[in-house]
Amino acid sequence: MTRRSRKVLVVTVALLVLLVPAAIEFYTDWLWFGETGYQSVFFRILASRAALGAVAMTLAFGMLLLNLRVPMRRFLPRQLVFTTREGPIAIAFNPGVARTASVLVAGVVALLLGLYASSQWFEWLLFLHAQPFGAADPVLGRDASFYVFQLPFLDALSGFLLVLVLLSGIGAAGAYVLTGALTVNLSQGVGISGLAKQHLAAVVALLLVVLAFSAYLDVPRILNTPAGIIHGAANVDVAVRMPALRVLMVAAVAGAVLALYQAVAVAWWPIITAATLYIVVAAGGAMAAALMQRFIIAPNELARETPFIEHNIAATREAFALDGVEERALSGDALLTRADIEANDATLGNVRLWDHQPLLQTFGQIQEIRTYYDFVSVHNDRYSIDGKYRQIMLSARELNSESLPNRNWINERLTFTHGYGVTLGPVNQVTPEGLPVLFIKDLPPKSSVNLPVKEPAIYFGQLSNDHVFVRTNAREFHYPQGEDNVYTTYEGSGGVPISNAFRRLLFSARFKSFKVLLSDDITNESRVMFHRRVLDRVRRIAPFLQYETDPYLIISNGRLFWLQDAYTTSTRYPYATPAANGTNYIRNSVKVTVDAYHGTTIFYVIDDTDPIVGTLRTIFPDLFRPLAEMPEDMRTRLRYPEGIFKLQATMYSTYHMTNPAVFYNKEDQWDIPSIDTEPRPRPMQPYYTIMKLPGEGGAEFIQMLPFTPVRKDNLASWMVARSDGEHYGRMIVFQFPKQKVVFGPRQIVARINQDQAIAPQITLWNQQGSEVLQGTLLVIPIEESLIYIRPLYLRSAGGRIPELKRVIVAHQNQIVMEETLDRALDRLFPDGGSDPRAQRAAPIDVHELTDRQAPEFESLMTRALEHYRNAMQAQRDGNWALYGEQIRRLGEVLDRMRNKP
């Protein structure tokens, strides 16, 4: 074999090693997109990447090769001569090798630039299909679509051209040095041939044109950059920086003309003048802006920046959909009565007493059944159960192949393929043992309410169990039944059909397993399921959307579906301040459903007014469906997502201030309250609940979060996002008067920890070896007032099942702890008492009691004194269990004394 043949063989093998795996992955992905029904989306993305990359690579290769070959056309020597202290050194040089090297260098650089350009496919498609926002920026008058859809691609184009021209200039200069047409000598100066001067002058002119284009883009770019107290163009930007950039653009164009003139000029003044002009204008603009900011704007900042603060407030509220938030006032000092409690039974009857983590641990202990089942997360939802609107918590029983007792290829890929069933129960009911009441439980799932699960198998879920094969000759595990197992055969439409030996070979290569090719259990009727994790599945189909991290499970017409919230976002909305993650525009415009059995994935548009989703529908016409096509039963399961609500609440804590002076001074800045937890305080998280909102007719499913003033603990307001029916997505903020102090969450927690009856009991449980878990502090608005509710869980020493032990309820300056929420409410709001504070404050005069009342009251006093003495003795003896019991009984007697007529 000749040397040339060996080289060809090596290159061929290298290409096969690189290209064959990529081709296999591409084709199997093509089959997967065909199974999901979204091959058109895959093809559009692929075609856009390929077209953009090919155009960019061709342009880059042609320009780079031209700038390398022009110097080599006339001046390639047969030897290179280098001057050293010892004298000139001559090195033999082969012009043919140089020409080949120029092609290779141009090819590699062009390939890299082409790959970069192909990564901008989404920006390119948005640029082509931009839909108007219908809102113009207040400075330049451009529609917001220019900033969101067009400017990102123009920025990428500007950067691409700048790099390409710089590399072309560097390559050309290097080639001229190599050929001797360009020399630099400290004693003799720069030596350059006529052709080299003309060529490099043209490159410099092209560079200045690109810089002029960049300066042109810098003007609108200012509307999306930080400017001191706001985000976007401030006074100094409009007065100085924008005009300076326009002058810089003119200077760059003039410099390009001078550079072209340099090609025929003998002296060097044109190119020197061009560079000096550009640098002086750029530096002068920056200096003038700094001087104006310091000496003119800073001394009168509020007055001069007021119009621009107004622009920032308006744009931010629009970008985060805060301009539609309804604000309502509450008195904050209303005293609740028993009648108020009874009138809000729908709210108090759906208070979430079970936190996610304790409930998840409890489900794991009482409902996993086998070690290879996992409950990944708990989901909040609401259903009409036996005629009542109930809030429930449910969790999918998924299969975790990593927990199989005997892990091998057959078990992981053919036998244990899916999870099975759900666990579902109300948020507020507890068994006598302190465990959750369950409406749906066990295997196979048994439902005690009008909520059947007809197909409980879960092939697609939250756990990433990689790929599995179904409809094979191997028995497919369904669920355990006593000492035996029940087996099944998959009858759904999910998965890619194996069909033939060629596909088996491809999937064997993709999954790097010869067993796929050699197994007798896999037949032409078998199907392979991969990308089964819900979040991974939807991201593969539509990578240009942003997704909520936690999809939630629903039951619709007896089947299990996953609902995945998707967002359209941007970082380029003009004048809008970005959130911590850089996003400065967001809409929850898309809901995605994934069938847990078939894997059918459908994208529904729920906000037709969003220009971004309108643009995406133009680009991908086969991807989205209108909300009207979603089944009615499924539509009742839609809920406003936690991620966007948390983001909006964070932004609203600042941007509820619409007065520029108040905003500038941050006089009414709010904060999301933090609760003291170990190891450090954590901000409260939004939570779902069913509630009758003040001023509304009936109870509804909402999400809520309170606010406190910055660096203060009293409550300022609370915000809700509605989820039911026509109210979906509407937000309301209920504000308390600024002159009144309403206890905030942190103050309530401090009072609980200092309460003379509650704190010793918690200490006692902890000292006895048990672990007390304090649940989420819930703020429950009732009419014009609030009550706080916090569940307490107890986990015994060495135990793993948290039990709901007590419920703490606080209202105004009263705090009680009881075994159930109903008992706690009865203590706070006894029958017949309209003002519990007045009842507690009014002292009882024994001399005013009737003859019938006096003996009974004296008996209660005697019992109270007895319980007090027993408690003190137990404290001295260190018997904390008896101490807690006597304190509890003392409290009961005192309550009876207080309630005596």
Side-chain angles (χ1 to χ4, degrees):
M1 182 180 291
T2 64
R3 185 176 181 182
R4 183 180 180 85
S5 300
R6 285 197 297 269
K7 287 182 178 180
V8 171
L9 179 62
V10 170
V11 171
T12 303
V13 171
L15 288 175
L16 288 175
V17 170
L18 292 174
L19 297 180
V20 169
I24 291 173
E25 184 172 0
F26 164 77
Y27 183 67
T28 51
D29 278 343
W30 175 260
L31 295 176
W32 182 82
F33 273 93
E35 180 255 322
T36 62
Y38 295 109
Q39 273 185 346
S40 62
V41 177
F42 182 61
F43 179 78
R44 186 63 189 272
I45 294 174
L46 186 68
S48 301
R49 293 178 67 102
L52 199 59
V55 170
M57 189 165 62
T58 302
L59 175 64
F61 180 75
M63 187 168 178
L64 289 169
L65 188 61
L66 177 66
N67 281 278
L68 289 174
R69 281 296 181 89
V70 167
M72 298 179 183
R73 188 175 56 186
R74 296 184 182 178
F75 299 104
L76 277 180
R78 295 296 176 180
Q79 64 179 12
L80 298 178
V81 179
F82 297 95
T83 302
T84 66
R85 291 180 179 179
E86 288 77 16
I89 299 177
I91 301 176
F93 184 77
N94 188 338
V97 172
R99 294 188 180 94
T100 303
S102 68
V103 174
L104 291 176
V105 170
V108 171
V109 175
L111 177 63
L112 295 176
L113 290 175
L115 291 174
Y116 163 75
S118 69
S119 69
Q120 306 300 308
W121 64 269
F122 187 53
E123 287 75 8
W124 165 242
L125 291 177
L126 291 178
F127 178 84
L128 290 180
H129 301 279
Q131 301 291 309
F133 274 73
D137 78 79
V139 175
L140 301 176
R142 295 178 182 267
D143 189 89
S145 64
F146 171 79
Y147 300 90
V148 174
F149 298 134
Q150 296 175 319
L151 189 56
F153 177 75
L154 294 176
D155 280 341
L157 177 62
S158 173
F160 172 83
L161 293 176
L162 182 62
V163 170
L164 179 58
V165 172
L166 285 174
L167 290 177
S168 298
I170 293 171
Y176 280 118
V177 170
L178 191 66
T179 60
L182 175 63
T183 59
V184 179
N185 191 296
L186 295 178
S187 59
Q188 300 178 2
V190 177
I192 187 170
S193 69
L195 177 62
K197 184 171 69 170
Q198 294 170 1
H199 184 179
L200 294 178
V203 172
V204 172
L206 189 57
L207 176 63
L208 287 168
V209 170
V210 173
L211 290 176
F213 179 55
S214 180
Y216 168 79
L217 297 179
D218 281 339
V219 175
R221 205 180 284 140
I222 288 178
L223 271 69
N224 199 35
T225 53
I229 60 174
I230 63 168
H231 193 86
N235 190 316
V236 68
D237 297 313
V238 175
V240 177
R241 288 197 176 97
M242 286 184 177
L245 285 171
R246 294 187 179 101
V247 173
L248 182 63
M249 184 172 59
V250 174
V253 173
V257 174
L258 289 171
L260 290 176
Y261 178 66
Q262 181 66 69
V264 296
V266 177
W268 289 101
W269 68 264
I271 198 73
I272 295 174
T273 303
T276 303
L277 180 64
Y278 185 86
I279 294 171
V280 167
V281 171
M287 186 178 299
L291 292 173
M292 181 177 179
Q293 177 66 34
R294 181 170 182 179
F295 295 106
I296 299 177
I297 295 178
N300 308 282
E301 191 170 45
L302 176 57
R304 288 187 169 271
E305 299 290 10
T306 291
F308 305 98
I309 293 175
E310 291 174 344
H311 298 334
N312 174 246
I313 292 173
T316 303
R317 288 172 63 90
E318 165 64 26
F320 288 94
L322 302 178
D323 52 340
V325 174
E326 181 183 354
E327 297 181 353
R328 298 184 187 177
L330 294 176
S331 64
D333 57 357
L335 298 176
L336 296 179
T337 66
R338 185 69 192 184
D340 295 325
I341 299 301
E342 293 173 353
N344 288 270
D345 178 67
T347 297
L348 296 170
N350 285 284
V351 172
R352 196 193 79 197
L353 298 181
W354 283 103
D355 274 5
H356 289 190
Q357 194 57 37
L359 187 62
L360 195 62
Q361 295 173 2
T362 302
F363 282 172
Q365 292 301 308
I366 66 176
Q367 281 292 302
E368 279 186 359
I369 314 297
R370 295 285 177 88
T371 58
Y372 40 76
Y373 285 128
D374 268 354
F375 290 102
V376 180
S377 61
V378 177
H379 312 289
N380 275 280
D381 210 340
R382 73 287 194 200
Y383 290 82
S384 181
I385 296 178
D386 296 335
K388 295 186 66 176
Y389 195 50
R390 302 289 300 271
Q391 184 178 354
I392 57 89
M393 301 181 82
L394 75 160
S395 186
R397 186 184 291 105
E398 298 193 56
L399 188 136
N400 186 351
S401 60
E402 295 182 357
S403 299
L404 290 172
N406 182 19
R407 295 188 63 185
N408 55 56
W409 186 81
I410 292 178
N411 279 345
E412 292 185 32
R413 306 300 177 204
L414 307 181
T415 304
F416 292 90
T417 57
H418 60 278
Y420 196 80
V422 299
T423 297
L424 179 149
V427 296
N428 64 331
Q429 288 184 239
V430 187
T431 67
E433 296 80 20
L435 300 177
V437 171
L438 299 178
F439 290 156
I440 301 178
K441 59 182 179 179
D442 299 337
L443 290 172
K446 299 180 180 65
S447 177
S448 61
V449 295
N450 62 331
L451 200 61
V453 180
K454 300 174 184 176
E455 180 49 76
I458 302 173
Y459 285 86
F460 301 86
Q462 289 182 280
L463 283 177
S464 56
N465 286 330
D466 206 4
H467 63 280
V468 295
F469 295 88
V470 295
R471 293 189 195 172
T472 65
N473 291 331
R475 293 199 302 172
E476 190 179 342
F477 173 78
H478 207 30
Y479 61 88
Q481 191 172 58
E483 297 298 323
D484 298 321
N485 293 329
V486 176
Y487 294 89
T488 188
T489 299
Y490 180 71
E491 300 294 339
S493 58
V496 177
I498 296 297
S499 301
N500 52 56
F502 178 67
R503 286 194 179 183
R504 287 185 68 172
L505 176 63
L506 292 178
F507 284 114
S508 177
R510 177 178 181 127
F511 300 132
K512 298 178 177 62
S513 173
F514 281 110
K515 294 176 182 178
V516 177
L517 188 62
L518 302 177
S519 174
D520 294 331
D521 291 321
I522 298 176
T523 69
N524 289 347
E525 300 301 319
S526 300
R527 305 174 78 92
V528 56
M529 295 179 175
F530 54 107
H531 299 313
R532 297 193 298 146
R533 185 168 173 257
V534 172
L535 195 55
D536 174 53
R537 190 175 185 84
V538 297
R539 279 178 175 163
R540 293 284 299 185
I541 296 171
F544 38 80
L545 295 173
Q546 301 297 316
Y547 296 95
E548 189 82 350
T549 55
D550 186 23
Y552 63 99
L553 189 69
I554 65 170
I555 303 173
S556 179
N557 296 318
R559 299 186 62 84
L560 300 179
F561 293 86
W562 296 96
L563 257 172
Q564 175 71 63
D565 283 287
Y567 306 119
T568 52
T569 63
S570 176
T571 60
R572 296 295 194 110
Y573 195 86
Y575 259 119
T577 298
N581 62 1
T583 298
N584 76 345
Y585 176 93
I586 186 169
R587 292 292 187 273
N588 175 218
S589 298
V590 178
K591 300 281 187 180
V592 190
T593 62
V594 180
D595 190 309
Y597 185 73
H598 296 289
T600 306
T601 306
I602 303 176
F603 292 75
Y604 294 99
V605 173
I606 65 169
D607 185 359
D608 290 314
T609 64
D610 175 28
I612 296 182
V613 82
T615 301
L616 292 176
R617 294 177 85 169
T618 304
I619 298 171
F620 304 104
D622 300 328
L623 176 60
F624 299 102
R625 298 188 188 182
L627 183 61
E629 294 186 14
M630 179 183 285
E632 177 61 30
D633 182 64
M634 194 176 289
R635 264 183 277 173
T636 62
R637 304 275 72 78
L638 299 182
R639 69 183 194 187
Y640 199 67
E642 183 178 332
I644 187 174
F645 180 64
K646 188 188 303 183
L647 191 67
Q648 289 172 314
T650 301
M651 298 305 295
Y652 193 79
S653 65
T654 298
Y655 283 90
H656 70 278
M657 298 180 289
T658 56
N659 183 296
V662 175
F663 181 91
Y664 177 81
N665 294 307
K666 298 295 186 285
E667 297 174 24
D668 194 24
Q669 179 84 34
W670 293 347
D671 199 3
I672 296 173
S674 295
I675 302 297
D676 290 329
T677 56
E678 295 296 335
R680 57 184 176 273
R682 291 187 302 174
M684 291 186 69
Q685 299 298 310
Y687 54 88
Y688 294 99
T689 187
I690 289 179
M691 180 185 298
K692 177 181 175 294
L693 296 174
E696 298 295 328
E700 56 184 291
F701 191 64
I702 59 102
Q703 193 175 182
M704 178 184 172
L705 193 63
F707 293 110
T708 59
V710 168
R711 292 183 293 276
K712 292 185 179 180
D713 293 330
N714 60 289
L715 205 62
S717 62
W718 48 279
M719 187 178 197
V720 300
R722 308 170 79 174
S723 293
D724 287 349
E726 62 182 8
H727 299 303
Y728 177 88
R730 297 184 183 177
M731 291 182 288
I732 307 175
V733 170
F734 296 88
Q735 297 190 46
F736 298 108
K738 294 179 175 60
Q739 66 272 19
K740 293 182 180 179
V741 176
V742 179
F743 287 135
R746 194 161 187 163
Q747 292 169 321
I748 293 296
V749 170
R751 294 189 62 207
I752 291 173
N753 293 336
Q754 296 168 8
D755 188 86
Q756 295 181 359
I758 298 174
Q761 183 64 64
I762 294 175
T763 302
L764 176 64
W765 281 325
N766 283 322
Q767 288 179 344
Q768 289 177 338
S770 299
E771 181 185 4
V772 177
L773 306 175
Q774 300 197 35
T776 299
L777 181 69
L778 303 174
V779 185
I780 308 296
I782 303 291
E783 303 300 339
E784 292 279 316
S785 189
L786 299 169
I787 62 174
Y788 287 89
I789 298 176
R790 188 172 207 178
L792 292 184
Y793 311 96
L794 195 63
R795 184 160 51 198
S796 61
R800 300 178 63 184
I801 303 180
E803 299 175 3
L804 181 58
K805 199 68 175 178
R806 293 287 188 272
V807 179
I808 300 173
V809 181
H811 172 60
Q812 301 285 7
N813 61 350
Q814 303 173 90
I815 300 177
V816 298
M817 181 175 72
E818 287 293 341
E819 294 181 357
T820 66
L821 176 59
D822 288 340
R823 289 182 62 178
L825 292 173
D826 288 342
R827 279 188 61 187
L828 274 181
F829 308 100
D831 290 330
S834 61
D835 186 349
R837 284 197 312 178
Q839 292 177 11
R840 174 172 289 189
I844 297 177
D845 189 344
V846 179
H847 299 291
E848 294 180 1
L849 297 174
T850 65
D851 293 339
R852 181 181 61 82
Q853 294 170 325
E856 186 177 357
F857 190 79
E858 290 179 0
S859 174
L860 290 173
M861 289 181 63
T862 302
R863 289 175 58 189
L865 182 60
E866 179 183 355
H867 289 312
Y868 174 75
R869 288 173 177 170
N870 290 341
M872 293 301 100
Q873 184 60 44
Q875 185 183 46
R876 287 190 290 270
D877 296 340
N879 189 343
W880 295 107
L882 179 59
Y883 171 81
E885 178 64 21
Q886 292 299 320
I887 288 294
R888 185 183 66 81
R889 292 184 178 181
L890 173 61
E892 292 175 352
V893 173
L894 293 176
D895 281 341
R896 291 184 61 186
M897 293 172 65
R898 181 190 66 180
N899 296 329
K900 283 295 176 184

